[in-house]
Amino acid sequence: MDRTAQLTGHTPGSGIAYDPPPTHAAGSTGPASPHGSPQTSAPGSLHVRAARVLADNWTGASTVPSRSLYPHQWSWDSAFIAIGLRHLSPLRAQTELETLLAAQWADGRIPHIVFNPSVPLDAYFPSPDFWRSTTAGRAAGAPRTVQTSGIVQPPVHALAVWLVHLADPGLSRARGFLATAYPRLAAWHRYLLHRRDLGGGGLASVVHPWEQGMDNSPCWDAPLARVAPASARSFRRADLDHGAAEDRPTDLDYGRYVRLAADYRDAGYADRQREFAVEDPSFNALLIASEHALARIARELGATGTARHARAERLTAALVDRLWDPEREIFLCRDLRGGQIPERAVSGLVPLILPELPREIVAALVRTLSGPHFGTGTHLVPSYDLLGEAFDPHRYWRGPAWANTGWLLERGLRQHGERERADALGEAVLRAADATGFAEYVDPYTGGACGATGFSWTAALAIDLHHGRHAPRHEHR
């Protein structure tokens, strides 16, 4: 069967159908229905091609980021993927998140990878036999029936759950989607706010660069320099089989990642300050945004949500107090051993998504976003300071632009009334996604593809941005 035909039928082996689109004139692009049903799009349109990527990457219960490079389920990828899937099939979007949440540990953490047992061990490293979650993670309550990693990723999940609910509230209520997700999300936030407040200032810390999601950002260079790398003979990098070495982290960085992960595993995944412990603005901004989303979920379930909104306000104040740099006009990372990290990265702009950020800080972030460090000569927002010594337009998170950070910043700009800037950024992300076959990341100057193509969150967020041009953004209110 042709993949395009499958967009309104069953994905082979999935048991889940895409919701049928509403009827419009042939070839038209009609507005989204109140329940988030997909728009009808012309054959070969960006919408249809993005949907085909998500169909190709569907495993039956979740969506892999990339069939070749990332053949398992990734935590924050699935959250972003669900945000796009809600326009194609709210049911499949709910299933995506439910599959991830089912792998949650008893201590509340949501692991950054849920491994597919049918994938060969040598297809990805670190593989399940490295993490040993069912044995090394036993004290922390790792699940016994599924293999996972032991670290986490940014907590965008409650925001994703809320947006997926809005796509079809009737289906969500009928399935008990929010009622099932809420206690798991609440436990996830408790874990981050208590177990991971390693600095004592109210913010969550990451204990590995992979947890923050921007794996090899120059922000990590100083704290990583304290880490003795694992021997190159102790691991084999599967990522280099599918991606150019100049686009990926260096062998030295990778050796340090392996050492940090192995030490954490060997300590039974117990949370305490070690060689690497960093408070990151993006990670905490996503936690705060998800606290606001949890408050909305609580209200939908019959509670007030007041305590969660109050907690989000306190966390926003802590974020400003600990990580805002008024001179550089950007949020900076804080190394719990070495202090403030003076590197400008896109992570420091992501707090724009927060609704209660002080007005003067919003204005300063907009200046930084459009100024020489992030906005001169580019339509896309680079992942790192254009003027920084470590800037590299092709190497992973050391300069290239990514769809997920573009989506977050577009949302933040729109929320704070910067409609023209939001429109321009959204259009730039869509053009880059369309031109590159939904590349993992792109050169911020040329828009040239880097990393994998057919990348799921690029396709999913392109769908969401595409719908945002044709439907009211009621979820911003």
Side-chain angles (χ1 to χ4, degrees):
M1 178 187 285
D2 178 74
R3 271 290 178 193
T4 305
Q6 292 172 12
L7 299 178
T8 54
H10 287 276
T11 305
S14 72
I16 296 176
Y18 284 94
D19 298 336
T23 303
H24 298 289
S28 71
T29 305
S33 79
H35 298 301
S37 298
Q39 300 165 342
T40 307
S41 300
S45 70
L46 177 144
H47 186 277
V48 169
R49 285 183 284 106
R52 186 178 296 122
V53 168
L54 297 178
D56 288 343
N57 289 344
W58 175 246
T59 69
S62 64
T63 309
V64 299
S66 161
R67 281 285 180 186
S68 58
L69 190 54
Y70 307 105
H72 301 285
Q73 183 179 26
W74 260 257
S75 173
W76 75 326
D77 289 74
S78 277
F80 288 122
I81 290 164
I83 288 168
L85 277 176
R86 67 191 172 125
H87 302 291
L88 301 174
S89 168
L91 175 59
R92 189 175 140 190
Q94 291 176 30
T95 302
E96 181 82 37
L97 294 166
E98 288 164 346
T99 300
L100 177 67
L101 292 173
Q104 185 174 29
W105 291 28
D107 67 1
R109 82 182 74 194
I110 296 174
H112 100 295
I113 302 175
V114 181
F115 290 106
N116 183 341
S118 67
V119 173
L121 287 178
D122 62 358
Y124 181 80
F125 180 86
S127 51
D129 58 344
F130 172 88
W131 295 103
R132 305 171 203 162
S133 62
T134 56
T135 54
R138 186 176 300 155
R144 297 186 178 184
T145 57
V146 62
Q147 296 271 7
T148 75
S149 65
I151 59 175
V152 302
Q153 275 194 320
V156 69
H157 309 90
L159 175 60
V161 165
W162 178 244
L163 295 181
V164 167
H165 165 77
L166 291 178
D168 193 335
L171 175 69
S172 173
R173 292 171 188 137
R175 297 185 68 248
F177 175 58
L178 293 185
T180 301
Y182 182 83
R184 291 185 176 274
L185 294 169
W188 169 222
H189 286 207
R190 279 196 303 272
Y191 168 78
L192 293 173
L193 292 169
H194 297 286
R195 303 285 186 94
R196 287 301 190 88
D197 182 10
L198 303 179
L203 300 181
S205 296
V206 295
V207 299
H208 195 290
W210 290 339
E211 292 198 313
Q212 193 270 352
M214 303 177 190
D215 300 12
N216 68 327
S217 168
C219 296
W220 318 136
D221 289 356
L224 276 178
R226 297 191 294 264
V227 179
S231 167
R233 295 188 299 274
S234 66
F235 61 91
R236 191 189 76 82
R237 294 182 59 179
D239 63 320
L240 297 183
D241 295 341
H242 308 287
E246 60 269 20
D247 290 353
R248 309 294 298 172
T250 65
D251 286 343
L252 177 60
D253 283 340
Y254 217 89
R256 287 171 168 151
Y257 303 153
V258 172
R259 170 69 66 192
L260 281 174
D263 288 350
Y264 191 37
R265 174 201 66 203
D266 294 344
Y269 297 111
D271 291 311
R272 60 177 183 270
Q273 262 200 57
R274 291 188 175 84
E275 294 162 292
F276 187 98
V278 176
E279 293 174 350
D280 172 76
S282 175
F283 191 98
N284 281 281
L286 291 172
L287 175 58
I288 296 166
S290 281
E291 271 292 306
H292 283 298
L294 266 186
R296 297 183 182 101
I297 294 170
R299 285 203 304 270
E300 171 69 21
L301 294 173
T304 65
T306 305
R308 294 208 171 272
H309 275 310
R311 183 178 295 116
E313 291 175 9
R314 290 196 300 272
L315 288 169
T316 301
L319 182 74
V320 171
D321 181 59
R322 292 180 68 81
L323 304 185
W324 175 245
D325 188 312
E327 293 183 5
R328 291 181 175 86
E329 296 195 322
I330 194 169
F331 287 90
L332 299 178
C333 297
R334 177 184 293 275
D335 176 7
L336 295 188
R337 287 196 181 185
Q340 196 176 62
I341 298 172
E343 299 284 359
R344 295 176 175 90
V346 70
S347 171
L349 301 172
V350 169
L352 269 173
I353 65 171
L354 300 179
E356 292 161 345
L357 206 60
R359 187 174 302 175
E360 64 275 12
I361 291 181
V362 171
L365 287 173
V366 171
R367 287 194 296 270
T368 300
L369 183 59
S370 57
H373 295 284
F374 290 92
T376 301
T378 68
H379 295 290
L380 297 160
V381 181
S383 50
Y384 177 65
D385 184 356
L386 295 167
L387 304 180
E389 291 184 10
F391 174 79
D392 184 329
H394 292 162
R395 193 178 291 278
Y396 219 39
W397 288 97
R398 301 179 82 84
W402 292 72
N404 67 327
T405 52
W407 182 88
L408 288 167
L409 293 173
E410 188 270 354
R411 187 176 182 86
L413 288 167
R414 194 172 302 282
Q415 178 172 241
H416 290 291
E418 295 284 344
R419 186 171 179 177
E420 288 186 10
R421 294 181 193 275
D423 287 345
L425 179 54
E427 289 295 330
V429 172
L430 282 170
R431 284 196 303 271
D434 193 20
T436 61
F438 307 100
E440 184 180 2
Y441 47 105
V442 300
D443 183 313
Y445 286 116
T446 69
C450 302
T453 54
F455 197 71
S456 290
W457 81 23
T458 305
L461 295 175
I463 289 171
D464 190 66
L465 289 168
H466 173 79
H467 274 255
R469 297 188 302 180
H470 301 285
R473 289 232 156 162
H474 59 280
E475 68 265 21
H476 282 287
R477 294 200 294 269

